[in-house]
Amino acid sequence: MALITLPRSHFYSSGLQTCRVLTCLRKYLSPDNNKSRKVMCQGYFSPQQEQFRIFHHANYRKHHLEKESKAYPVGSVFFQTAAWDRFEQSNGHVDHQRFYKELNNFTSSEQVLKFVTTLETLSDTMAAAALYRVSEVEKEKSAQKIPKTVLENEIFRALCFQFEYESTNLSDTGLVTALQALTGLHVDPQSNLLVNLIMECQNRLQQGHMTIHNLCVLGQCMVKLQNPNCAVLKEIILQLQGQKLQECTPEEIVAIYTLLQTAFGEAIQHQDFLDQLNNLCISLVYKFSPTVTSQILNALVTLNQTQAFPLVVKLCVHSVKFVSHFTNEELGKVLEGFIYFGYTDKFFIQALEEHVSTCCLTMHPESISKVMQYCSKKLILSKPIFDAVAESFVYQAEIFSPVQISQLIIPFGKLNYLPPNASLFFRKLENTIRTRFKYFPPQALLNLLHSCTLIGHPPVNYVAKLFSPYFLQKLQVQELGLSKSSLAQLTQLYLAVVLECPFYKGPKLLQQYQVKSFLIPPYLLETPMDLHLYKIVSVALIHLLEGRIYFASKVSTPCCYTVDIEIKLDEEGFVLPFTSDEDVYKRLALCIDDPKRFCLNSHNLLGKEAIKQRHLRLLGYEVIQIPYHEVEILPSRCEIVKYLKKKIFFHRYRFY
């Protein structure tokens, strides 16, 4: 393994024998060699970074170790996160494992490079790991190019120089890790540095001796530097297929999934390989750590592995015991997997409730919003989660972005739930919207305010802005044309203001932005009636009323709602034929509510059904709810008829 020796101070002299590269490096760093140094540096970085191509003065010495000593795996999958005591300054050789643990504690490039200068000897894998850590911390800062402070750092320059001119002497791990780090730092792919590293990687690849981890790292670099269909990537996948997968460690399996995830276009052409990998994982799930579990679930989502549902189920069940151990990012990936594959687990929900109830105030805003998205998508009304989130929002609404706020609030309306601190909750929400109104994307704001409407809190103070041509134009631009869903939401908002806030005298929603029915795909505002449940109820009604003529089905109302079953009564309580429009004193609206109209495993109506029944009452209907859980327990038609008679006609009725 090649070793790179770095100084404790400038002009460090040594009596030890130096190698050919060190001699070149000293000549290169000589203060009298500015011209040649400038020429040699050119090509490392993209044209936007030319102004930073100056090396500083330093001397370096190099010691030799065996080229193929044991390589410590480097990469986001393999880094550990434990703290330890600092190195003894007198120790010239550093324990690899301690080095990597220490490296992960640094949060800036300056810290990493300064740490490197404290070491007398540095193996190529350790030097590559240092560069990789620099790329990680710069990525966390969302840097699109290498910062000036990094470019001007003499240690960074010297490392790049030796990686370029010693590429043939590097270990496989040091080689691919250096390539991965420099790729992440957006080094110019046409530079001599990257060209040399890539050529050496291709030579090693042709020899066919690279480990699975190094093959995967190289493959990811090739995708970034070239394209997912490049010849090198095809060769890497072929070599991976020739490996003994049953002998792979969980970390190596993750590395393969991550490569296939990165090269999605190439991966879908090797579905047989993916199927083999999926089947193997089923028997290994019990070995997976929280990190491995979340990464594989995320890869299955990206690769659209819907046929791997047995593996998904095992991963989801396995993840239950890790809920409190997942990082914020890992928990988000797991929840995305649950959402994508449509999986729910009561034990996972219980563990999630316990975790959120305990840690909500310290959880990352993105994690909280992801939890609420999961509950919303799967219609899970978890009062412990919702109460904890409502409390968190009241105390720290400022940490949430406008989009996250929308994702937080929507489930409360969708699942028709008011938290115990509802007054404080809505007061905080109104203040937040008022101070940050212009920062909300139009669609997110519409969804948020519509959700408030579903639970009986129409946003009267903001309706005028929503109905303004300016907002509608912004919404139209964002959606590339107003969708039927948005128009339906606007219509229901307007209807709610008219019916529930008669004091509102502001602008109206123009007719051109109103829909005529809420029963339109994707059925966001009304749920279609379940035909099986309707048949049971209608047969019993025919027997009770002694004729089909006395009730109508799927009746459209002027207020855009559709009544499942309507029965008309005159002033004396006589039941009128549904064709009669005269002498109608009262209309009965029967809501045939199947499980799709309730929250998951609950008798709590969804918000869109609750607002529908609320509005029908305000429009003069007598709403009678016929829920599935009351009908399905009745043993016979005769019992159903008795149930309907008691439910609908609790007073004496007559027929014409």
Side-chain angles (χ1 to χ4, degrees):
M1 180 184 296
L3 284 178
I4 299 172
T5 303
L6 300 174
R8 293 183 184 275
S9 61
H10 289 233
F11 303 98
Y12 186 92
S13 62
S14 172
L16 297 177
Q17 182 179 5
T18 58
C19 67
R20 172 179 52 81
V21 174
L22 181 56
T23 303
C24 177
L25 182 58
R26 281 177 171 170
K27 181 179 179 181
Y28 165 73
L29 292 173
S30 171
D32 300 326
N33 195 27
N34 290 334
K35 182 176 180 180
S36 61
R37 181 168 68 242
K38 181 176 181 182
V39 173
M40 292 176 68
C41 291
Q42 288 180 351
Y44 274 23
F45 310 107
S46 58
Q48 295 90 332
Q49 299 160 342
E50 280 190 20
Q51 64 272 30
F52 303 136
R53 293 177 177 173
I54 304 298
F55 272 63
H56 289 277
H57 180 76
N59 285 324
Y60 300 91
R61 62 192 177 93
K62 181 177 182 184
H63 298 283
H64 290 285
L65 289 179
E66 289 183 1
K67 179 180 176 181
E68 294 301 332
S69 62
K70 182 178 179 181
Y72 190 90
V74 180
S76 58
V77 176
F78 298 89
F79 270 111
Q80 306 298 318
T81 56
W84 64 283
D85 295 334
R86 295 188 61 84
F87 298 125
E88 293 294 332
Q89 294 297 324
S90 61
N91 185 11
H93 297 281
V94 180
D95 177 77
H96 279 65
Q97 187 172 2
R98 295 176 68 188
F99 170 82
Y100 292 114
K101 291 178 179 179
E102 177 74 358
L103 198 61
N104 251 349
N105 291 332
F106 300 126
T107 57
S108 71
S109 302
E110 292 76 10
Q111 290 177 332
V112 175
L113 296 172
K114 183 178 180 181
F115 170 66
V116 169
T117 64
T118 65
L119 308 175
E120 284 193 14
T121 58
L122 194 66
S123 69
D124 64 337
T125 54
M126 295 164 69
L131 284 182
Y132 183 79
R133 184 56 185 162
V134 169
S135 72
E136 278 192 322
V137 296
E138 294 304 329
K139 183 179 179 181
E140 291 172 0
K141 298 176 183 178
S142 300
Q144 296 301 314
K145 61 181 182 179
I146 311 175
K148 179 179 178 180
T149 54
V150 177
L151 288 167
E152 294 183 341
N153 188 285
E154 56 193 22
I155 304 302
F156 176 78
R157 291 287 191 173
L159 290 175
C160 290
F161 180 81
Q162 275 200 264
F163 274 118
E164 176 180 351
Y165 289 97
E166 281 290 286
S167 59
T168 57
N169 294 327
L170 299 174
S171 66
D172 289 348
T173 299
L175 179 65
V176 298
T177 305
L179 181 63
Q180 183 184 30
L182 295 169
T183 302
L185 285 168
H186 308 288
V187 173
D188 185 0
Q190 304 303 319
S191 66
N192 291 335
L193 173 60
L194 253 64
V195 169
N196 285 0
L197 293 178
I198 292 172
M199 289 180 61
E200 182 59 28
C201 285
Q202 291 176 335
N203 292 336
R204 306 278 180 95
L205 182 63
Q206 291 175 0
Q207 296 172 10
H209 300 305
M210 298 184 75
T211 64
I212 290 177
H213 170 70
N214 291 335
L215 284 171
C216 293
V217 172
L218 177 58
Q220 292 182 56
C221 295
M222 290 298 102
V223 172
K224 294 178 181 178
L225 291 173
Q226 299 182 18
N227 61 72
N229 298 316
C230 65
V232 176
L233 180 61
K234 295 179 186 295
E235 176 61 27
I236 289 172
I237 293 180
L238 286 176
Q239 288 196 22
L240 287 173
Q241 289 177 312
Q243 299 285 338
K244 296 180 180 180
L245 296 181
Q246 60 272 19
E247 297 178 3
C248 291
T249 65
E251 289 75 19
E252 288 174 331
I253 291 175
V254 167
I256 297 174
Y257 271 116
T258 304
L259 172 60
L260 297 174
Q261 185 178 5
T262 305
F264 176 75
E266 182 68 21
I268 58 177
Q269 301 177 24
H270 297 85
Q271 185 59 51
D272 292 342
F273 180 45
L274 266 170
D275 291 339
Q276 183 184 357
L277 198 60
N278 294 338
N279 293 333
L280 172 67
C281 284
I282 293 177
S283 60
L284 298 177
V285 167
Y286 73 96
K287 295 182 179 180
F288 292 169
S289 66
T291 300
V292 171
T293 301
S294 65
Q295 288 177 327
I296 292 182
L297 259 177
N298 180 249
L300 293 175
V301 170
T302 305
L303 296 168
N304 191 29
Q305 296 297 289
T306 52
Q307 75 281 1
F309 198 73
L311 173 59
V312 172
V313 172
K314 292 207 71 172
L315 287 170
C316 291
V317 172
H318 184 65
S319 66
V320 172
K321 61 182 179 181
F322 293 140
V323 170
S324 60
H325 301 285
F326 285 126
T327 65
N328 288 310
E329 183 180 0
E330 291 167 355
L331 181 59
K333 290 178 180 179
V334 170
L335 291 172
E336 284 179 2
F338 273 67
I339 294 171
Y340 184 83
F341 292 107
Y343 184 80
T344 55
D345 185 286
K346 66 177 183 179
F347 299 107
F348 180 84
I349 296 172
Q350 291 173 0
L352 193 63
E353 287 177 343
E354 183 178 351
H355 176 64
V356 174
S357 300
T358 306
C359 306
C360 192
L361 290 174
T362 58
M363 288 177 66
H364 192 276
E366 184 62 28
S367 298
I368 298 176
S369 63
K370 187 65 67 176
V371 169
M372 294 303 285
Q373 286 181 65
Y374 170 64
C375 291
S376 177
K377 187 70 175 181
K378 304 309 299 178
L379 304 181
I380 300 170
L381 178 56
S382 170
K383 294 182 180 180
I385 291 178
F386 279 52
D387 292 347
V389 170
E391 182 181 2
S392 175
F393 180 76
V394 168
Y395 283 102
Q396 50 183 11
E398 297 75 16
I399 69 172
F400 296 98
S401 70
V403 173
Q404 289 170 345
I405 292 173
S406 177
Q407 294 168 344
L408 260 159
I409 304 302
I410 287 174
F412 285 90
K414 184 175 181 178
L415 303 185
N416 186 30
Y417 181 70
L418 285 173
N421 62 341
S423 58
L424 291 174
F425 180 70
F426 284 103
R427 191 180 307 134
K428 186 69 173 183
L429 177 61
E430 186 170 356
N431 292 336
T432 302
I433 295 175
R434 183 176 63 252
T435 56
R436 303 168 68 181
F437 185 87
K438 64 180 180 180
Y439 299 107
F440 280 88
Q443 186 61 61
L445 182 63
L446 176 60
N447 293 339
L448 187 157
L449 297 179
H450 177 260
S451 180
C452 294
T453 304
L454 295 179
I455 44 180
H457 286 74
V460 183
N461 295 336
Y462 303 101
V463 168
K465 293 183 178 180
L466 292 184
F467 297 163
S468 69
Y470 174 71
F471 177 82
L472 295 172
Q473 185 178 9
K474 286 179 61 179
L475 184 62
Q476 189 169 4
V477 169
Q478 181 183 352
E479 294 188 346
L480 301 178
L482 288 172
S483 65
K484 288 186 177 180
S485 299
S486 295
L487 293 176
Q489 287 178 307
L490 289 167
T491 304
Q492 193 169 51
L493 264 168
Y494 177 63
L495 184 63
V497 170
V498 171
L499 294 177
E500 301 180 48
C501 309
F503 53 85
Y504 174 74
K505 304 300 180 184
K508 298 181 180 180
L509 181 65
L510 297 178
Q511 192 68 34
Q512 67 192 75
Y513 296 110
Q514 298 183 31
V515 298
K516 295 182 179 180
S517 173
F518 293 141
L519 194 62
I520 53 176
Y523 305 115
L524 295 177
L525 302 188
E526 269 195 276
T527 307
M529 182 171 53
D530 181 76
L531 295 180
H532 176 69
L533 186 60
Y534 165 74
K535 184 177 180 180
I536 295 174
V537 174
S538 62
V539 169
L541 268 181
I542 292 172
H543 184 81
L544 174 64
L545 301 179
E546 299 180 356
R548 178 66 179 78
I549 195 174
Y550 291 107
F551 66 92
S553 306
K554 299 181 181 179
V555 179
S556 298
T557 65
C559 60
C560 306
Y561 293 109
T562 300
V563 176
D564 296 334
I565 293 178
E566 182 183 79
I567 299 175
K568 300 176 181 177
L569 303 177
D570 68 2
E571 190 172 0
E572 298 180 3
F574 285 98
V575 178
L576 300 173
F578 72 83
T579 55
S580 177
D581 291 326
E582 299 179 358
D583 303 323
V584 178
Y585 177 75
K586 181 180 292 186
R587 297 175 186 266
L588 307 181
L590 274 61
C591 296
I592 314 299
D593 296 329
D594 64 278
K596 293 180 181 178
R597 297 185 177 183
F598 295 89
C599 299
L600 182 67
N601 300 325
S602 168
H603 296 164
N604 190 82
L605 275 174
L606 295 176
K608 60 182 178 181
E609 302 303 328
I611 192 175
K612 172 183 176 179
Q613 295 187 15
R614 189 166 70 246
H615 284 178
L616 288 176
R617 291 188 181 94
L618 292 172
L619 289 166
Y621 280 92
E622 181 179 324
V623 178
I624 300 171
Q625 188 181 3
I626 311 294
Y628 75 97
H629 53 268
E630 293 181 0
V631 175
E632 291 181 349
I633 61 174
L634 300 175
S636 64
R637 182 186 301 175
C638 182
E639 292 296 324
I640 297 175
V641 171
K642 291 180 181 179
Y643 163 79
L644 291 177
K645 181 177 180 180
K646 183 178 180 181
K647 188 88 173 183
I648 303 172
F649 302 110
F650 53 88
H651 51 75
R652 184 179 180 183
Y653 66 96
R654 293 173 292 177
F655 301 99
Y656 277 116

